[in-house]
Amino acid sequence: MSENINEVASERNLNFLEEIIENDLATGKHKSILTRFPPEPNGYLHIGHAKSICLNFGLAKKYGGKTNLRFDDTNPVKEDTEYVDSIKEDIKWLGFEWANEFYASDYFDQLYLWAEELIKKGLAYVDDQTQEEIRQNRGTVSQPGVESPYRNRSVEENLKLFREMKEGKYADGEKVLRAKIDMSHPNMLFRDPLMYRIIHASHHRTGNKWCIYPMYDYAHGECDSIENITHSICTLEFDVHRPLYDWFIEKLGIFPSHQYEFARLNLTYTVMSKRKLLELVKNHYVDGWDDPRMPTICGIRRRGYTPESIRMFAEKVGVAKRDNVIDLSLLEWCLRQDLNARSNRYMAVLNPVKLVIDNWEDGKVEYFDAPLNPAEPDGPKRKVPFTKELLIEKEDFMEDAPKKYFRLKPDGEVRLKYAYIIKCNSFVKDSDGNVTEIHCTYDPDSKPGVGEWRSVKGTIHWVSEELCDKVEARLYEHLFTEEQMGAIPEGVDYKEYLNPNSLTIVTAYAEPALKDDKSGIAVQFERVGYFYKDPENGAYNKATGLKDSFKM
Ligand code: ATP
Ligand code: MG
């Protein structure tokens, strides 16, 4: 039966996790599925976590199951409620709802009882060796480890010492609880792994109740098991931990949650380790966790990314069994797909030069109707004022233009978007040779919607110099100059690759309708790119360029 299912699965182009789940549901191994997303609240979520969130919540949704949010808060020193709050906000923003909000710390009592149970079964012992001794005695891949002199303590002594550890009798590092497995096991993780260590520190939820805290390998599988998680999905580096995950569950005889691994998301020009992101924030290389250059969810949200674009990206990346590096431009492509379909359009000039319509009456204003979205030509409109003195992009005028240059040039014609065709008659230069003013005449018969449409090769954007608003625009480049940040040589500091030009602030001259935009998402500055109004400071963050845009 399962072979049949697999055949159908490959025809339907399912990923390996979907195949497993469909199989488990078809064979009745599970009636419904329950996944979990288990962040450690020690930092803000990044785009890699977003991939994991889309996967865990997405699979459950697809198969009519549920997903728990479980904070993996077993290390009181690094964790904080600030992170808990931001993580919840980010998951909601991505568009997902968890069935339950749990904390590994909710299970500290149960985990403690199970540790005593393992001691009683002769499967755990208290070790007095120092951290250094434990490390040295673990051996190497080619050499077996050395058994601890405390390994054969009696059950009674182990219980007494473990209870004393819990009661606070010992200092940090003085004792640990270890599983008693096999000091010469080929999998190093089986060489009597640590289960509990002493940390006299206050915990963000349990306060000072505990001074012993469970290790990841001991806690994770059991937390999954307590919640009856059916498919515990994590990143590839945990595959060597899986046998240990199974070992604890088996020895305790509890609900058999199962772990599955997929390749973590890596992106070009990006670092994603929380430690490095924290360092960038703490040392002010960036302006906080939500700096629009950061790969954090709050950062890319402020940059102008939409939840839809991130979910589309997660879908496109798919689920791999082998590590790889995804091109950052795929993420940008997804954003463009989304914004192209639904963002409002406005004109804004970022690098202006003045253009005077010589045959236009002084003081006369004419308003042109322009659709907010070209996909809906009959949809909502904005009014664009046209006056004698306009601004266009410097790059849209060229004195000695090549033949194929279809924007404005001496004696050449161009259409001002939504408005008239103009012809360049003359221009003025300053003493440095920069063009400071361009003089044109407009063709009154070229008004859109009136008479016969006359087409010219080029169309450029523009604003009225008098009736425009100055706004701040923030232009971004990659935060790092190196494409393969994961492959920089050992010993070289990743911060050496920080891009000094990652942020440029300019003034943009925008048509007046921009200030009334109520869309709440990034807008398109026509021919320039997508810009999102920063909720913090009102500046327009360039989220991404346009696919076929000219280089500004
Ligand atoms: P970091 O190494 O950056 O500190 P982490 O893996 O320790 O990240 P957690 O809070 O433990 O961070 O991660 C929560 C979940 O997100 C885990 O299941 C983890 O596997 C997953 N995850 C973290 N980083 C990525 C990534 N780059 N791609 C896919 N999933 C990820
Ligand atoms: Mg982790």
Side-chain angles (χ1 to χ4, degrees), residues 508-526:
Y509 300 80
E511 58 166 279
L514 175 68
K515 62 175 163 305
D516 302 321
D517 186 82
K518 300 270 183 305
S519 66
I521 59 170
V523 297
Q524 186 192 100
F525 287 171
E526 299 194 58

PDB file of all heavy atoms in Angstrom, residues 508-526:
ATOM      1  N   ALA A 508      13.538  62.714  -1.962  1.00  0.00           N
ATOM      2  CA  ALA A 508      12.737  62.402  -3.140  1.00  0.00           C
ATOM      3  C   ALA A 508      11.646  63.458  -3.262  1.00  0.00           C
ATOM      4  O   ALA A 508      11.165  63.987  -2.259  1.00  0.00           O
ATOM      5  CB  ALA A 508      12.120  61.016  -3.007  1.00  0.00           C
ATOM      6  N   TYR A 509      11.280  63.783  -4.505  1.00  0.00           N
ATOM      7  CA  TYR A 509      10.244  64.781  -4.780  1.00  0.00           C
ATOM      8  C   TYR A 509       9.052  64.010  -5.317  1.00  0.00           C
ATOM      9  O   TYR A 509       9.114  63.439  -6.405  1.00  0.00           O
ATOM     10  CB  TYR A 509      10.764  65.804  -5.790  1.00  0.00           C
ATOM     11  CG  TYR A 509      11.997  66.523  -5.248  1.00  0.00           C
ATOM     12  CD1 TYR A 509      13.255  65.912  -5.310  1.00  0.00           C
ATOM     13  CD2 TYR A 509      11.892  67.759  -4.624  1.00  0.00           C
ATOM     14  CE1 TYR A 509      14.377  66.538  -4.775  1.00  0.00           C
ATOM     15  CE2 TYR A 509      13.010  68.395  -4.090  1.00  0.00           C
ATOM     16  CZ  TYR A 509      14.246  67.779  -4.163  1.00  0.00           C
ATOM     17  OH  TYR A 509      15.341  68.382  -3.619  1.00  0.00           O
ATOM     18  N   ALA A 510       7.996  63.974  -4.525  1.00  0.00           N
ATOM     19  CA  ALA A 510       6.890  63.062  -4.843  1.00  0.00           C
ATOM     20  C   ALA A 510       5.634  63.821  -5.220  1.00  0.00           C
ATOM     21  O   ALA A 510       5.375  64.924  -4.720  1.00  0.00           O
ATOM     22  CB  ALA A 510       6.612  62.176  -3.635  1.00  0.00           C
ATOM     23  N   GLU A 511       4.839  63.224  -6.078  1.00  0.00           N
ATOM     24  CA  GLU A 511       3.551  63.828  -6.420  1.00  0.00           C
ATOM     25  C   GLU A 511       2.691  63.899  -5.156  1.00  0.00           C
ATOM     26  O   GLU A 511       2.814  63.064  -4.254  1.00  0.00           O
ATOM     27  CB  GLU A 511       2.860  63.048  -7.546  1.00  0.00           C
ATOM     28  CG  GLU A 511       2.611  61.582  -7.225  1.00  0.00           C
ATOM     29  CD  GLU A 511       1.637  60.937  -8.199  1.00  0.00           C
ATOM     30  OE1 GLU A 511       0.412  61.100  -8.034  1.00  0.00           O
ATOM     31  OE2 GLU A 511       2.116  60.257  -9.118  1.00  0.00           O
ATOM     32  N   PRO A 512       1.807  64.906  -5.078  1.00  0.00           N
ATOM     33  CA  PRO A 512       1.111  65.170  -3.817  1.00  0.00           C
ATOM     34  C   PRO A 512       0.224  64.019  -3.326  1.00  0.00           C
ATOM     35  O   PRO A 512       0.006  63.880  -2.127  1.00  0.00           O
ATOM     36  CB  PRO A 512       0.276  66.417  -4.101  1.00  0.00           C
ATOM     37  CG  PRO A 512       0.461  66.761  -5.529  1.00  0.00           C
ATOM     38  CD  PRO A 512       1.564  65.950  -6.092  1.00  0.00           C
ATOM     39  N   ALA A 513      -0.278  63.187  -4.243  1.00  0.00           N
ATOM     40  CA  ALA A 513      -1.198  62.120  -3.808  1.00  0.00           C
ATOM     41  C   ALA A 513      -0.526  61.103  -2.902  1.00  0.00           C
ATOM     42  O   ALA A 513      -1.182  60.405  -2.137  1.00  0.00           O
ATOM     43  CB  ALA A 513      -1.781  61.412  -5.032  1.00  0.00           C
ATOM     44  N   LEU A 514       0.809  61.047  -2.949  1.00  0.00           N
ATOM     45  CA  LEU A 514       1.508  60.041  -2.146  1.00  0.00           C
ATOM     46  C   LEU A 514       1.146  60.160  -0.666  1.00  0.00           C
ATOM     47  O   LEU A 514       0.950  59.159   0.021  1.00  0.00           O
ATOM     48  CB  LEU A 514       3.031  60.178  -2.330  1.00  0.00           C
ATOM     49  CG  LEU A 514       3.869  59.244  -1.447  1.00  0.00           C
ATOM     50  CD1 LEU A 514       3.687  57.785  -1.858  1.00  0.00           C
ATOM     51  CD2 LEU A 514       5.357  59.616  -1.513  1.00  0.00           C
ATOM     52  N   LYS A 515       1.029  61.404  -0.202  1.00  0.00           N
ATOM     53  CA  LYS A 515       0.822  61.560   1.240  1.00  0.00           C
ATOM     54  C   LYS A 515      -0.549  61.057   1.691  1.00  0.00           C
ATOM     55  O   LYS A 515      -0.763  60.829   2.869  1.00  0.00           O
ATOM     56  CB  LYS A 515       1.059  62.997   1.695  1.00  0.00           C
ATOM     57  CG  LYS A 515       0.144  64.043   1.102  1.00  0.00           C
ATOM     58  CD  LYS A 515       0.456  65.393   1.763  1.00  0.00           C
ATOM     59  CE  LYS A 515      -0.090  66.583   1.000  1.00  0.00           C
ATOM     60  NZ  LYS A 515       0.313  66.671  -0.419  1.00  0.00           N
ATOM     61  N   ASP A 516      -1.470  60.855   0.741  1.00  0.00           N
ATOM     62  CA  ASP A 516      -2.795  60.343   1.118  1.00  0.00           C
ATOM     63  C   ASP A 516      -2.905  58.826   0.951  1.00  0.00           C
ATOM     64  O   ASP A 516      -3.989  58.273   1.090  1.00  0.00           O
ATOM     65  CB  ASP A 516      -3.872  61.018   0.249  1.00  0.00           C
ATOM     66  CG  ASP A 516      -3.828  62.528   0.403  1.00  0.00           C
ATOM     67  OD1 ASP A 516      -3.609  62.988   1.539  1.00  0.00           O
ATOM     68  OD2 ASP A 516      -3.973  63.246  -0.621  1.00  0.00           O
ATOM     69  N   ASP A 517      -1.794  58.179   0.626  1.00  0.00           N
ATOM     70  CA  ASP A 517      -1.870  56.733   0.388  1.00  0.00           C
ATOM     71  C   ASP A 517      -2.280  56.013   1.661  1.00  0.00           C
ATOM     72  O   ASP A 517      -1.720  56.230   2.724  1.00  0.00           O
ATOM     73  CB  ASP A 517      -0.524  56.188  -0.094  1.00  0.00           C
ATOM     74  CG  ASP A 517      -0.626  54.720  -0.482  1.00  0.00           C
ATOM     75  OD1 ASP A 517      -1.062  54.451  -1.613  1.00  0.00           O
ATOM     76  OD2 ASP A 517      -0.320  53.856   0.365  1.00  0.00           O
ATOM     77  N   LYS A 518      -3.283  55.131   1.522  1.00  0.00           N
ATOM     78  CA  LYS A 518      -3.780  54.421   2.690  1.00  0.00           C
ATOM     79  C   LYS A 518      -3.578  52.914   2.560  1.00  0.00           C
ATOM     80  O   LYS A 518      -4.148  52.141   3.309  1.00  0.00           O
ATOM     81  CB  LYS A 518      -5.300  54.671   2.843  1.00  0.00           C
ATOM     82  CG  LYS A 518      -5.715  56.118   3.015  1.00  0.00           C
ATOM     83  CD  LYS A 518      -5.747  56.500   4.488  1.00  0.00           C
ATOM     84  CE  LYS A 518      -6.239  57.923   4.725  1.00  0.00           C
ATOM     85  NZ  LYS A 518      -5.492  58.965   3.991  1.00  0.00           N
ATOM     86  N   SER A 519      -2.773  52.492   1.577  1.00  0.00           N
ATOM     87  CA  SER A 519      -2.701  51.057   1.286  1.00  0.00           C
ATOM     88  C   SER A 519      -2.044  50.249   2.394  1.00  0.00           C
ATOM     89  O   SER A 519      -2.334  49.079   2.578  1.00  0.00           O
ATOM     90  CB  SER A 519      -1.945  50.830  -0.027  1.00  0.00           C
ATOM     91  OG  SER A 519      -0.590  51.222   0.127  1.00  0.00           O
ATOM     92  N   GLY A 520      -1.133  50.867   3.141  1.00  0.00           N
ATOM     93  CA  GLY A 520      -0.470  50.127   4.218  1.00  0.00           C
ATOM     94  C   GLY A 520       0.647  49.213   3.739  1.00  0.00           C
ATOM     95  O   GLY A 520       1.323  48.576   4.554  1.00  0.00           O
ATOM     96  N   ILE A 521       0.815  49.101   2.428  1.00  0.00           N
ATOM     97  CA  ILE A 521       1.947  48.315   1.918  1.00  0.00           C
ATOM     98  C   ILE A 521       2.846  49.236   1.101  1.00  0.00           C
ATOM     99  O   ILE A 521       2.541  50.407   0.917  1.00  0.00           O
ATOM    100  CB  ILE A 521       1.488  47.109   1.056  1.00  0.00           C
ATOM    101  CG1 ILE A 521       0.665  47.592  -0.148  1.00  0.00           C
ATOM    102  CG2 ILE A 521       0.701  46.111   1.896  1.00  0.00           C
ATOM    103  CD1 ILE A 521       0.389  46.506  -1.177  1.00  0.00           C
ATOM    104  N   ALA A 522       3.945  48.693   0.618  1.00  0.00           N
ATOM    105  CA  ALA A 522       4.866  49.504  -0.174  1.00  0.00           C
ATOM    106  C   ALA A 522       4.159  50.030  -1.421  1.00  0.00           C
ATOM    107  O   ALA A 522       3.246  49.394  -1.948  1.00  0.00           O
ATOM    108  CB  ALA A 522       6.082  48.676  -0.572  1.00  0.00           C
ATOM    109  N   VAL A 523       4.575  51.205  -1.870  1.00  0.00           N
ATOM    110  CA  VAL A 523       4.040  51.759  -3.115  1.00  0.00           C
ATOM    111  C   VAL A 523       5.116  51.639  -4.187  1.00  0.00           C
ATOM    112  O   VAL A 523       6.289  51.432  -3.869  1.00  0.00           O
ATOM    113  CB  VAL A 523       3.658  53.251  -2.944  1.00  0.00           C
ATOM    114  CG1 VAL A 523       2.555  53.398  -1.909  1.00  0.00           C
ATOM    115  CG2 VAL A 523       4.878  54.093  -2.599  1.00  0.00           C
ATOM    116  N   GLN A 524       4.700  51.771  -5.430  1.00  0.00           N
ATOM    117  CA  GLN A 524       5.710  51.801  -6.479  1.00  0.00           C
ATOM    118  C   GLN A 524       5.975  53.245  -6.882  1.00  0.00           C
ATOM    119  O   GLN A 524       5.039  53.964  -7.224  1.00  0.00           O
ATOM    120  CB  GLN A 524       5.242  51.015  -7.707  1.00  0.00           C
ATOM    121  CG  GLN A 524       6.352  50.905  -8.749  1.00  0.00           C
ATOM    122  CD  GLN A 524       5.874  50.393 -10.098  1.00  0.00           C
ATOM    123  OE1 GLN A 524       5.660  51.146 -11.031  1.00  0.00           O
ATOM    124  NE2 GLN A 524       5.716  49.078 -10.194  1.00  0.00           N
ATOM    125  N   PHE A 525       7.229  53.674  -6.786  1.00  0.00           N
ATOM    126  CA  PHE A 525       7.616  54.922  -7.422  1.00  0.00           C
ATOM    127  C   PHE A 525       7.885  54.523  -8.864  1.00  0.00           C
ATOM    128  O   PHE A 525       8.816  53.750  -9.139  1.00  0.00           O
ATOM    129  CB  PHE A 525       8.881  55.518  -6.786  1.00  0.00           C
ATOM    130  CG  PHE A 525       8.662  56.111  -5.411  1.00  0.00           C
ATOM    131  CD1 PHE A 525       9.755  56.506  -4.643  1.00  0.00           C
ATOM    132  CD2 PHE A 525       7.386  56.290  -4.883  1.00  0.00           C
ATOM    133  CE1 PHE A 525       9.578  57.061  -3.375  1.00  0.00           C
ATOM    134  CE2 PHE A 525       7.195  56.844  -3.617  1.00  0.00           C
ATOM    135  CZ  PHE A 525       8.295  57.225  -2.866  1.00  0.00           C
ATOM    136  N   GLU A 526       7.067  55.006  -9.760  1.00  0.00           N
ATOM    137  CA  GLU A 526       7.105  54.494 -11.127  1.00  0.00           C
ATOM    138  C   GLU A 526       8.493  54.642 -11.744  1.00  0.00           C
ATOM    139  O   GLU A 526       9.143  55.667 -11.607  1.00  0.00           O
ATOM    140  CB  GLU A 526       6.058  55.214 -11.977  1.00  0.00           C
ATOM    141  CG  GLU A 526       4.658  54.978 -11.421  1.00  0.00           C
ATOM    142  CD  GLU A 526       3.561  55.355 -12.372  1.00  0.00           C
ATOM    143  OE1 GLU A 526       3.534  54.790 -13.488  1.00  0.00           O
ATOM    144  OE2 GLU A 526       2.745  56.205 -12.018  1.00  0.00           O
TER     145      GLU A 526
END
